[in-house]
Amino acid sequence: MTAKSAPATARPTVYGYPRQGPNRELKKAIEGYWKGRVTAGALRGTAADLRRENWRQLADAGIHEVPTGDFSYYDHVLDTTVMVGAIPGRHRSAVAAGALDGYFAMARGTQDAAPLEMTKWFDTNYHYLVPELGPDTVFAADPAKQAGEVKEALALGLAARPVLVGPVTYLLLSKAAPGAPAGFDPLTLLDRLLPVYAEVLADLRAAGAEWVQLDEPALVQDRTPAELNAAERAYRELGSATDRPKLLVASYFDRLGEALPLLAKAPVEGLALDFTGAAAANLDALAAVGGLPGKRLVAGVVDGRNIWVNDLAASLSTLGTLLGLADRVDVAASCSLLHVPLDAAAERDIDPQLLRWLAFARQKTAEIATLAKGLSHGTGAVAAELAANRADLAARADSPVTRDPAVRARAAAVTEADARRSRPYAERTAAQRARLGLPLLPTTTVGSFPQTGELRTARAGLRAGRIGPAGYEERIRAEIRQVIAFQETIGLDVLVHGEPERNDMVQYFAEQLTGYLATQHGWVQSYGTRYVRPPILAGDISRPEAMTVRWTTYAQSLTDRPVKGMLTGPVTMLAWSFVRDDQPLGDTARQVALALRDEVDDLEAAGSPVIQVDEPALRETLPLRAADRSAYLAWATEAFRLSTSGVRPDTQIHTHMCYAEFGDVVRAIDDLDADVISLEAARSRMQVARELASHGYPREAGPGVYDIHSPRVPSAEEAARLLRAGLEAIPAERLWVNPDCGLKTRGWPETRASLENLVAAARTVRGELAGS
């Protein structure tokens, strides 16, 4: 871009910001409230303080319009459900008795009422709570939260823009409520929902909002003509309302495609588009429809989902091209900054030179402000920033940290045969059944067990130097002994060691592989109060030494029952990391797969008869557009097979997936060629079992009968009902009994009771089968 100026001063903005606070203050306050140690007033006070601090940080960084409404106690889609009054019938009494407790009841469930189903937010690792709608749903506007927060920001003297989930995306992400007629489509409720949105918009205008952002990321997916017509109708109606603020319709995560022309013509004042990655195609598409004359364009040119520094010169070039396509062009990240950690400057253990390659939320806001300044006043106004950025990009490209010739040579030598088991499934399953001798409906867990207070104290003591490695390892052994003894006592068939040595299912491995960087404060919200620290995949990957064999073999020495070796699969290692952006994902996946293959082979050599390689992110990482999926699934399934195909036929390979819509990847699940798969199914009432059956899935499967993301304890009869539903789709000789997911986030009392009920349910149903 040359030094010419934009027609109007470009304004920097963002769509959302990390919620948790620099030390996860929100998590601590909410969990304290759940345990009765924090009052509702104190929780609200902490939340208000965090909002104010976020807004002030954004304003100090030069952000013109701060987002409001993006802050949430649990989930912004659940906030939308409250805003439109779509409370499920089983939770209405709890909400009526107390809004805050009722809100958490919808998220977590109670002993008497199941929570809302949870699934992944598009292709991210963030989980949202799925709205339940039916033909009898009555919407009613309740914008108290949204209006209150915009008033808070305005009172601080800030320009504020409320951010809402748009009505079309809200309905497209919803599911039919229990009892709704078969085939009910929530989108048929659009005409009933739009007046409620119009009322909310009027209230926000009355609260002082000049602009309101309506997020419609569902429109970047493949959509039917009927769905596109619904979007056109929605924004024609909302845009034609007289008592409303200016409307900014936002999309992100991919190219807008067929929806772009209809939104460009809609009577709204602005569009926010993603111009990163595959969504860079939005630029040509926008030019093809004649741009946005008379409208505002918010250009997402800073990647809101990854942590690498922006190529400022390239972004300025894109922005310069966009100048002629809209009345005004403002600058933003590609999506909410919810998906990245807060501040790279807090990382003291990363080499300062490598740290210059990274941009977390605070650094991204600075990049956005720099780009807006350069767009408005020319590149000369940001010459120093551009020079420093060029140096950082060159240092990363030339760094030996990023390339290992031996790793690349090994990956290049992989053949198709390396990614195939030596015997077909029918032969393997006979050998495995002979070796394992398991009963009908074998019971197991997915991997992790609760992390006790004693374990956390020991881990903190090790970090602080209060105990030595020997004392910490004895604590690990004690935890494993407790977990093994408990599983034997209640009668589980295939055991796990409980993973007490692991801080996180990705980070634990990343810290032992070359090519990864670990953070100390890089927390990102996964769901509710569950935060993770995704490692940073910066260079080529290899495994210097065994990672899990020691503790797995120790656990096996305590019991005659089989103990599973537990690993995280290559796709999930990528998806739940901040992955390098300087080579194709498939190349990186192959490197990780080879490192894991070495671990799988070592576990088998040490005597592990069952090895589980978890791939919960396989569906999550699926491209949003169907045209992009076959290439992804080819390298993703190959990477899994490459990591698991070196074992003998009588070694049983398990995998696990959770909290996603599996119907789109059932064929890929088959292509993994795992012997057994466990999947989340409790909240969806065994939907995945039916999807596997409709596909003709030929292998063993364990659809979960215990929802581990809720503190409620399912009764033995409830678990038995789910198990019977599973048997309607999967034959008994191929059905396993297990929870939905790992148990790390649960406490021991609820875990103990729930697993006892799970085993009792399996025994009951075995008896029914024997007597039939």
Side-chain angles (χ1 to χ4, degrees):
M1 177 189 164
T2 65
K4 73 174 183 178
S5 297
T9 300
R11 297 179 297 195
T13 189
V14 297
Y15 308 156
Y17 206 62
R19 301 161 177 165
Q20 68 267 24
N23 295 302
R24 293 181 292 160
E25 290 87 349
L26 184 62
K27 169 187 172 70
K28 296 168 186 175
I30 292 172
E31 293 181 351
Y33 176 73
W34 291 344
K35 295 174 181 176
R37 297 199 294 257
V38 173
T39 67
L43 171 58
R44 293 188 179 100
T46 296
D49 289 344
L50 289 171
R51 287 194 295 271
R52 284 193 295 271
E53 180 61 23
N54 282 352
W55 293 332
R56 285 179 175 139
Q57 286 177 8
L58 290 170
D60 290 346
I63 298 302
H64 172 73
E65 282 177 329
V66 300
T68 66
D70 63 302
F71 187 93
S72 178
Y73 286 125
Y74 205 97
D75 167 46
H76 57 278
V77 180
L78 180 59
D79 295 344
T80 309
T81 292
V82 173
M83 183 187 78
V84 301
I87 310 300
R90 64 185 180 280
H91 290 295
R92 286 176 193 154
S93 60
V95 172
L100 187 59
D101 287 344
Y103 177 89
F104 288 131
M106 288 188 284
R108 307 173 73 227
T110 66
Q111 196 56 42
D112 299 321
L116 293 172
E117 182 180 340
M118 187 163 63
T119 195
K120 298 293 177 70
W121 175 250
F122 297 92
D123 57 349
T124 75
N125 188 35
Y126 178 82
H127 301 64
Y128 74 94
L129 290 157
V130 181
E132 296 178 0
L133 307 177
D136 298 329
T137 297
V138 176
F139 297 112
D142 181 10
K145 173 189 183 295
Q146 291 75 16
E149 290 179 14
V150 73
K151 289 177 182 177
E152 288 178 28
L154 293 173
L156 296 173
L158 303 173
R161 184 183 71 254
V163 178
L164 311 178
V165 176
V168 180
T169 289
Y170 180 75
L171 293 176
L172 289 172
L173 295 182
S174 299
K175 62 177 291 185
F184 174 76
D185 182 358
L187 192 60
T188 60
L189 300 177
L190 180 63
D191 290 335
R192 198 182 302 176
L193 182 61
L194 289 177
V196 174
Y197 265 82
E199 184 177 344
V200 169
L201 292 172
D203 286 345
L204 291 173
R205 182 188 183 195
E210 178 185 2
W211 286 85
V212 169
Q213 178 175 319
L214 293 165
D215 284 358
E216 293 288 6
L219 296 181
V220 306
Q221 297 173 297
D222 297 314
R223 289 298 166 198
T224 66
E227 291 166 341
L228 293 170
N229 288 338
E232 190 276 332
R233 189 170 80 254
Y235 285 98
R236 184 176 67 244
E237 182 169 330
L238 292 177
S240 299
T242 55
D243 186 14
R244 66 169 180 83
K246 297 175 183 176
L247 300 182
L248 177 71
V249 181
S251 68
Y252 37 82
F253 298 149
D254 210 319
R255 54 200 183 274
L256 197 51
E258 304 89 335
L260 179 56
L262 63 89
L263 290 179
K265 293 186 292 185
V268 300
E269 285 74 23
L271 294 185
L273 301 178
D274 185 351
F275 292 98
T276 65
N282 277 330
L283 195 156
D284 289 340
L286 187 61
V289 300
L292 301 174
K295 294 185 178 182
R296 175 188 184 188
L297 171 64
V298 178
V301 293
V302 172
D303 189 345
R305 296 179 55 179
N306 212 335
I307 46 68
W308 303 108
V309 294
N310 184 261
D311 185 335
L312 296 179
S315 293
L316 279 172
S317 177
T318 298
L319 291 165
T321 302
L322 292 170
L323 282 178
L325 297 177
D327 185 59
R328 67 169 304 120
V329 177
D330 293 330
V331 186
S334 60
C335 61
S336 171
L337 297 178
L338 171 73
H339 305 290
V340 295
L342 183 60
D343 187 5
E347 301 302 327
R348 306 299 185 190
D349 296 336
I350 297 177
D351 184 303
Q353 180 55 51
L354 304 187
L355 199 61
R356 293 186 61 84
W357 304 352
L358 308 181
F360 293 179
R362 288 189 185 176
Q363 288 71 40
K364 288 182 185 294
T365 58
E367 290 178 335
I368 293 165
T370 295
L371 291 168
K373 182 178 180 181
L375 183 62
S376 297
H377 304 294
T379 54
V382 291
E385 291 91 335
L386 289 173
N389 179 247
R390 282 194 297 271
D392 293 337
L393 294 173
R396 181 184 171 209
D398 296 338
S399 173
V401 170
T402 64
R403 298 180 69 86
D404 182 330
V407 170
R408 290 176 177 260
R410 185 185 182 194
V414 167
T415 67
E416 184 177 351
D418 292 327
R420 295 291 178 188
R421 296 286 292 271
S422 62
R423 294 288 185 273
Y425 171 71
E427 295 181 26
R428 300 197 311 260
T429 190
Q432 292 159 17
R433 288 175 180 173
R435 180 181 184 185
L436 296 172
L438 299 174
L440 198 65
L441 306 180
T443 56
T444 189
T445 65
V446 170
S448 62
F449 264 69
Q451 302 242 323
T452 64
E454 294 88 348
L455 177 61
R456 291 191 176 95
T457 298
R459 190 173 290 149
L462 180 67
R463 287 196 300 266
R466 293 190 296 271
I467 65 171
Y472 178 67
E473 289 184 1
E474 178 50 41
R475 181 70 253 165
I476 297 296
R477 282 190 287 272
E479 296 282 335
I480 293 174
R481 289 194 296 270
Q482 177 187 5
V483 167
I484 293 293
F486 167 71
Q487 293 173 93
E488 286 193 317
T489 298
I490 67 170
L492 284 167
D493 299 305
V494 176
L495 313 188
V496 297
H497 78 287
E499 305 177 14
E501 78 283 10
R502 304 184 190 184
N503 44 15
D504 175 83
M505 66 180 290
V506 171
Q507 184 183 356
Y508 175 78
F509 294 100
E511 290 174 348
Q512 300 182 76
L513 296 169
T514 65
Y516 271 100
L517 304 176
T519 69
Q520 295 300 312
H521 305 284
W523 298 103
V524 176
Q525 187 180 20
S526 178
Y527 65 87
T529 61
R530 169 69 170 157
Y531 289 84
V532 295
R533 282 182 296 162
I536 298 167
L537 210 166
D540 290 340
I541 301 298
S542 63
R543 187 201 69 147
E545 59 186 13
M547 302 179 286
T548 66
V549 175
R550 177 187 179 192
W551 295 119
T552 303
T553 53
Y554 174 69
Q556 186 66 78
S557 74
L558 302 174
T559 181
D560 293 330
R561 301 184 186 186
V563 175
K564 288 192 284 189
M566 301 296 304
L567 305 175
T568 301
V571 177
T572 301
M573 287 295 297
L574 267 61
W576 293 0
S577 302
F578 292 115
V579 71
R580 61 192 301 179
D581 60 355
D582 59 347
Q583 68 180 22
L585 279 174
D587 293 356
T588 306
R590 178 172 285 192
Q591 293 179 3
V592 177
L594 288 168
L596 293 173
R597 184 185 181 99
D598 294 342
E599 188 72 13
V600 169
D601 291 349
D602 283 352
L603 282 167
E604 182 184 58
S608 294
V610 181
I611 301 170
Q612 182 168 309
V613 181
D614 291 344
E615 282 292 22
L618 181 73
R619 170 61 180 85
E620 166 193 317
T621 317
L622 187 72
L624 298 178
R625 293 277 181 178
D628 303 328
R629 292 176 178 175
S630 61
Y632 158 73
L633 290 172
W635 65 253
T637 55
E638 183 212 54
F640 180 89
R641 295 194 309 272
L642 184 59
S643 67
T644 58
S645 291
V647 298
R648 302 192 311 263
D650 65 346
T651 296
Q652 192 172 71
I653 295 294
H654 288 224
T655 191
H656 169 69
M657 298 181 189
C658 58
Y659 293 95
E661 300 295 331
F662 298 109
D664 293 334
V665 293
V666 172
R667 187 174 300 278
I669 291 173
D670 196 355
D671 289 343
L672 295 178
D673 198 24
D675 300 304
V676 181
I677 184 169
S678 58
L679 303 112
E680 174 273 325
R683 288 196 186 189
S684 63
R685 303 171 187 88
M686 288 287 159
Q687 176 181 336
V688 69
R690 296 186 289 274
E691 291 171 345
L692 291 175
S694 66
H695 174 71
Y697 185 74
R699 298 171 182 81
E700 298 177 34
V705 298
Y706 163 27
D707 173 18
I708 66 87
H709 288 345
S710 170
R712 65 187 296 272
V713 175
S715 67
E717 177 52 34
E718 180 181 341
R721 283 197 302 271
L722 285 171
L723 190 50
R724 294 183 194 108
L727 283 167
E728 294 176 2
I730 300 171
E733 62 271 16
R734 291 198 281 110
L735 187 65
W736 284 64
V737 186
N738 46 260
D740 274 346
C741 200
L743 300 164
K744 177 182 176 181
T745 60
R746 300 269 56 89
W748 259 109
E750 70 225 44
T751 296
R752 185 176 292 108
S754 298
L755 290 180
E756 288 171 348
N757 290 345
L758 180 149
V759 172
R763 288 172 176 159
T764 296
V765 178
R766 283 178 196 148
E768 293 169 357
L769 292 170
S772 62

